[in-house]
């Protein structure tokens, strides 16, 4: 069978055209969800895959894909891919860093504002025709300006959100595995603090870190208990970093003030408990979803695919050690 690359979800025409200049392409422009069996069938003889965050690429699947050389995720996050399993089999993995920072940061601030200022609740109140008078005391929300923004994770996207927080006169504190250099801390007026200090002193906690074995359920019942009852939690990172059942309980009990969520455990299968709560703003993983940014992400993934298969040196390789094991 002739070598081909697989594009697992619908992408923009120019991306498919670009790939077709270089390879035979099997694509899924119908955008159907490729179940495990379908994905296995389509990937079995592919030399490269342009994947999406819904595609679970693990060891058993890789064992069926003997020709596979590269998996190019159309996202900066890649927790849908077992990178160690790819490395072991000499399969390169790439992501799309850089191109989405500002877009995701805009959306993070939108969730901070929506959840803390209760913007969707206000709109619902109006649409439900409950707005009969302008009251001085109802409905009320909380201030964003001047608050303490605590970042769990402080990479490129976290820093782009911090830039926005500063323009709201916010105080910036952060916690992450590797402290950033002093010059960067100065740029964002950011103080490195312990996880406990961050949780106990932030008015707005922003999660913007990768989902790994170490960060799974980083925010559970204990952490939510440490947070201020007046605090807002925003998750722009990945489902699984938060224990959703614990968050639902905390929101229901009023242990924290509000949450703004773009990601969930087992998405798109949302825990129905969220739908019963009025103090959470729910968004279906749209942080990077602007036309320009999604076009750039798709082209970036395709560029990685072409480079990986033509010279073995894709610009956004996340597992360079795979080159040694192949
Ligand atoms: C990312 O790039 O990781 C985004 O979450 C994808 O939508």
């Amino acid at each position: 069978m002739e070598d081909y690359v697989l594009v697992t979800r619908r992408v923009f025409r120019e991306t498919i055209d670009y790939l077709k200049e270089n390879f035979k392409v099997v694509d899924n422009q119908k955008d159907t969800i490729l179940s495990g069996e379908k994905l296995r069938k389509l990937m079995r003889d592919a030399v490269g895959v342009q994947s999406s965050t819904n595609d679970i690429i693990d060891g058993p699947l890789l064992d069926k894909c003997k020709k596979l050389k590269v998996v190019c995720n159309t996202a900066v996050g890649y927790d849908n891919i077992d990178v160690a399993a790819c490395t072991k089999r000499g399969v390169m993995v790439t992501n799309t860093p850089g191109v989405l920072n500002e877009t995701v940061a805009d959306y993070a601030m939108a969730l901070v504002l929506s959840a803390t200022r209760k913007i969707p609740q206000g709109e619902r109140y109006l649409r439900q025709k409950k707005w009969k008078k302008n009251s001085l005391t109802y409905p009320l929300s909380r201030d964003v300006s001047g608050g303490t923004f605590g970042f769990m994770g402080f990479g490129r996207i976290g820093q782009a959100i911090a830039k926005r927080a500063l323009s709201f006169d916010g105080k910036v504190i952060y916690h992450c595995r590797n402290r950033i250099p002093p010059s960067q801390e100065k740029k964002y007026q950011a103080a490195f603090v312990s996880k406990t200090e961050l949780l106990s002193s932030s008015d707005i906690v922003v999660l913007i870190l990768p989902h790994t074995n170490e960060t799974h359920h980083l925010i559970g019942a204990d952490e939510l208990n440490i947070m201020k009852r007046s605090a807002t939690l925003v998750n722009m990172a990945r489902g699984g970093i938060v224990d959703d059942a614990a968050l639902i309980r905390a929101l229901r009990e009023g242990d924290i003030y509000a949450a703004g969520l773009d990601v969930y455990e087992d998405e798109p299968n949302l825990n129905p408990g969220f739908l019963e709560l009025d103090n959470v703003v729910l968004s279906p993983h749209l942080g990077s979803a602007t036309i320009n940014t999604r076009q750039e992400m798709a082209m970036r993934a395709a560029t990685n695919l072409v480079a990986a298969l033509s010279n073995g040196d894709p610009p956004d390789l996340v597992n360079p050690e795979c080159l040694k094991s192949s």
Side-chain angles (χ1 to χ4, degrees):
M1 178 185 270
E2 189 189 344
D3 284 352
Y4 65 89
V5 297
L6 171 69
V7 182
T8 65
R9 298 305 295 268
R10 180 190 299 142
V11 289
F12 302 91
R13 195 69 248 170
E14 70 263 20
T15 309
I16 295 289
D17 291 345
Y18 170 65
L19 288 172
K20 282 188 172 161
E21 285 168 21
N22 294 277
F23 315 108
K24 177 173 180 222
V25 178
V26 173
D27 63 47
N28 177 21
Q29 289 295 80
K30 286 195 184 138
D31 213 26
T32 49
I33 292 180
L34 297 178
S35 65
E37 185 48 41
K38 265 194 206 145
L39 187 62
R40 209 162 25 251
K41 224 166 143 184
L42 288 171
M43 270 182 67
R44 199 173 47 209
D45 294 304
V47 289
V49 176
Q50 179 163 343
S51 56
S52 98
T53 52
N54 283 157
D55 305 316
I56 306 300
I57 298 180
D58 56 13
L61 172 59
L62 292 166
D63 283 338
K64 305 268 184 257
C65 307
K66 300 291 183 209
K67 294 184 174 177
L68 191 68
K69 294 191 172 64
V70 63
V71 178
C72 299
N73 220 30
T74 315
V76 67
Y78 45 86
D79 63 329
N80 55 308
I81 300 170
D82 184 338
V83 177
C86 287
T87 302
K88 200 167 141 200
R89 292 159 180 82
V91 174
M92 293 175 267
V93 178
T94 68
N95 66 343
T96 62
V99 294
L100 44 73
N101 300 347
E102 303 302 324
T103 299
V104 174
D106 285 348
Y107 207 82
M109 281 310 287
L111 281 184
V112 167
L113 289 163
S114 298
T116 311
R117 294 302 312 272
K118 299 192 169 184
I119 293 170
Q121 290 89 329
E123 200 203 5
R124 285 200 288 276
Y125 178 73
L126 185 151
R127 286 180 186 271
Q128 289 161 4
K129 303 202 178 349
K130 290 182 180 162
W131 187 29
K132 302 293 182 207
K133 60 181 180 201
N134 287 356
S135 164
L136 284 173
T137 53
Y138 184 85
L140 298 178
S141 60
R142 290 190 174 272
D143 284 319
V144 170
S145 286
T148 296
F149 285 69
F151 292 87
M152 297 290 298
F154 206 54
R156 284 175 291 238
I157 301 177
Q159 292 171 20
I161 305 168
K163 201 167 63 182
R164 288 156 174 77
L166 290 177
S167 73
F168 279 74
D169 294 325
K171 179 177 169 198
V172 174
I173 59 178
Y174 77 100
H175 181 78
C176 61
R177 222 172 19 162
N178 301 314
R179 191 169 171 171
I180 62 170
S183 60
Q184 291 290 99
E185 286 188 347
K186 201 164 160 207
K187 180 168 173 195
Y188 298 105
Q189 298 164 41
F192 181 82
V193 296
S194 69
K195 178 180 163 191
T196 305
E197 185 178 342
L198 184 140
L199 292 171
S200 62
S201 57
S202 296
D203 300 301
I204 291 145
V205 173
V206 180
L207 305 178
I208 189 73
L209 70 170
H211 180 218
T212 62
N213 288 339
E214 290 71 45
T215 64
H216 187 70
H217 285 189
L218 183 77
I219 302 295
D222 292 345
E223 290 74 19
L224 291 159
N225 246 321
I226 299 172
M227 285 174 64
K228 293 183 186 179
R229 289 178 79 83
S230 56
T232 297
L233 175 73
V234 168
N235 188 0
M236 285 307 294
R238 279 291 181 271
I241 294 174
V242 176
D243 175 346
D244 282 354
L247 177 58
I248 289 167
R249 268 195 307 275
L251 287 164
R252 194 182 291 134
E253 302 296 321
D255 295 339
I256 66 170
Y257 180 65
L261 306 175
D262 193 36
V263 288
Y264 311 86
E265 290 189 292
D266 193 29
E267 62 183 55
N269 304 310
L270 190 71
N271 184 323
F274 282 123
L275 300 174
E276 291 161 17
L277 297 168
D278 199 42
N279 53 350
V280 59
V281 176
L282 303 166
S283 155
H285 203 152
L286 292 178
S288 63
T290 63
I291 299 164
N292 287 350
T293 295
R294 285 287 166 88
Q295 280 173 335
E296 284 196 55
M297 289 165 70
M299 276 312 274
R300 184 78 171 229
T303 304
N304 275 300
L305 193 46
V306 172
L309 293 175
S310 48
N311 61 21
D313 189 18
D316 303 312
L317 184 62
V318 303
N319 60 340
E321 42 321 335
C322 79
L323 299 176
K324 289 180 209 126
S325 55
S326 56

